[in-house]
Amino acid sequence: MTVGTYLQELHGLPVFDFPEADVQVELPATDAVAWRISAPTYSDPGDELWGQRFERFLKTVDTGRVRALVVGGWDEAYENSSADIVTALIGANDRLTALEAVFLGDMTGEDCEISWIIQSDVTPLLAAYPALREFGVRGGSQLAFPSVRHSGLETLVVETGGLPAEVVRGIAGSDLPALRKLELWLGTDEYGGDSTPEDLAPLLAGTAFPALRRLGLCDSVIQDAVAAAVAGAPVVARLERLDLSMGVLTDEGAAALLDGQPLTHLTHLDLSHHYLSEAMSERVRAALVPYGVTVDLSDAQVGEDDGDGDVWRYVAVAE
């Protein structure tokens, strides 16, 4: 995923923008698309606000056949939290009876920078939709995710420029027995990303999420420490795909990975947006590619010399 473009697909369905009130277009079959409901984040008087557009959506489509919803921008998302959006979605759970996937906050930087998006406690959505299989959220400001149980959720993606430690602990402490894919953008402390590898302990120990096969711990300013923790983590033995992309991964972190438990059982290892030397990149390839592991080492970074002997390195997504 990227924050530079809108979602094109959710839950295997192409995303279709529900049109503005004065736009006449032929609508697709209700269950053939993921419906994107979005309103201007910088709204003018007379603009249709998100809640109004959502109510019109509910009156327009066959709600009992809606399988996936993408929440785009909402009015002043940089000042107003997603709490009203969450409440509106919960209030429609008796009509959206086939809903299996939700993504909350599909905005680009032109709408609202990722670290400006004000979220809320999103876990009531999981309680309101027990049949939900996929859930994603973008934006970490005021995001809350206390530990929750959901028996059917298979995919959880949380994209932020800074993921608070309390949220990481809440997710890691949740009871999600069907979860197969978890992707967390940990970000930087400048934008609230104050978690440490210790906050991931239940996840890395393999005691949480017994069905997990795809793990992404991405966009971290402490990616070397994350990689070192992953290197000895019991959960890795049952993974098919491991994603440590978008962060400040250097030769130190890559060496820790290679010196830890075997990774040759993986089908894919994503280390894109990295700060590895060419020699270390070749070492990674040599250790894994002959075993059939697809290794992504694209988007190599070099860092910036500040003139005083220090090198500045950046995650892919922060503000």
Side-chain angles (χ1 to χ4, degrees):
M1 292 186 180
T2 174
V3 296
T5 58
Y6 298 125
L7 286 179
Q8 299 298 307
E9 181 180 289
L10 179 66
H11 202 49
L13 299 170
V15 175
F16 180 85
D17 278 276
F18 184 66
E20 299 176 21
D22 58 354
V23 175
Q24 300 297 316
V25 297
E26 183 177 353
L27 300 181
T30 304
D31 57 359
V33 299
W35 295 89
R36 185 173 186 270
I37 316 297
S38 187
T41 53
Y42 298 88
S43 55
D44 294 322
D47 282 346
E48 185 179 43
L49 303 182
W50 192 93
Q52 295 170 322
R53 189 163 298 182
F54 182 59
E55 282 301 316
R56 184 167 56 83
F57 168 77
L58 294 176
K59 295 175 182 177
T60 302
V61 306
D62 182 353
T63 54
R65 296 174 59 196
V66 175
R67 296 174 56 203
L69 274 179
V70 177
V71 175
W74 59 85
D75 31 299
E76 282 76 52
Y78 48 89
E79 291 184 353
N80 299 321
S81 81
S82 62
D84 287 347
I85 312 295
V86 170
T87 298
L89 291 173
I90 292 172
N93 70 341
D94 59 338
R95 287 170 284 178
L96 297 171
T97 54
L99 191 63
E100 295 179 332
V102 172
F103 189 92
L104 181 59
D106 182 33
M107 289 175 255
T108 68
E110 293 185 0
D111 301 312
C112 186
E113 299 288 354
I114 188 171
S115 292
W116 299 2
I117 299 171
I118 302 180
Q119 287 289 354
S120 60
D121 184 353
V122 297
T123 54
L125 278 172
L126 298 179
Y129 290 95
L132 206 65
R133 294 171 56 193
E134 183 170 350
F135 182 59
V137 59
R138 179 175 295 166
S141 180
Q142 297 185 29
L143 177 65
F145 201 110
S147 296
V148 65
R149 172 172 171 78
H150 192 288
S151 61
L153 194 69
E154 298 175 357
T155 297
L156 176 60
V157 175
V158 183
E159 302 176 353
T160 76
L163 190 59
E166 184 176 3
V167 175
V168 174
R169 290 192 293 268
I171 293 172
S174 291
D175 184 3
L176 306 172
L179 195 71
R180 292 186 56 83
K181 175 184 176 180
L182 176 64
E183 183 177 314
L184 304 178
W185 294 14
L186 301 174
T188 79
D189 52 0
E190 293 179 353
Y191 294 99
D194 58 351
S195 67
T196 67
E198 287 72 25
D199 297 313
L200 296 162
L203 166 62
L204 297 178
T207 54
F209 318 142
L212 194 68
R213 296 297 180 268
R214 300 177 63 175
L215 175 62
L217 300 173
C218 310
D219 199 51
S220 178
V221 72
I222 58 165
Q223 201 75 321
D224 282 347
V226 171
V230 166
V235 71
V236 173
R238 64 170 182 259
L239 297 180
E240 298 169 356
R241 298 174 69 94
L242 176 62
D243 185 350
L244 299 176
S245 65
M246 302 171 59
V248 182
L249 183 70
T250 71
D251 284 7
E252 179 182 349
L257 273 180
L258 294 179
D259 293 341
Q261 63 190 296
L263 301 176
T264 52
H265 65 287
L266 296 174
T267 61
H268 186 79
L269 175 65
D270 191 344
L271 302 180
S272 58
H273 184 94
H274 61 84
Y275 291 84
L276 306 188
S277 65
E278 185 56 38
M280 180 56 73
S281 294
E282 286 304 315
R283 182 182 164 193
V284 171
R285 293 189 186 96
L288 298 176
V289 172
Y291 293 91
V293 183
T294 302
V295 180
D296 188 346
L297 284 162
S298 61
D299 196 19
Q301 306 291 310
V302 295
E304 297 180 10
D305 192 332
D306 68 354
D308 295 322
D310 293 324
V311 177
W312 292 93
R313 300 182 178 93
Y314 305 94
V315 297
V317 177
E319 185 179 26

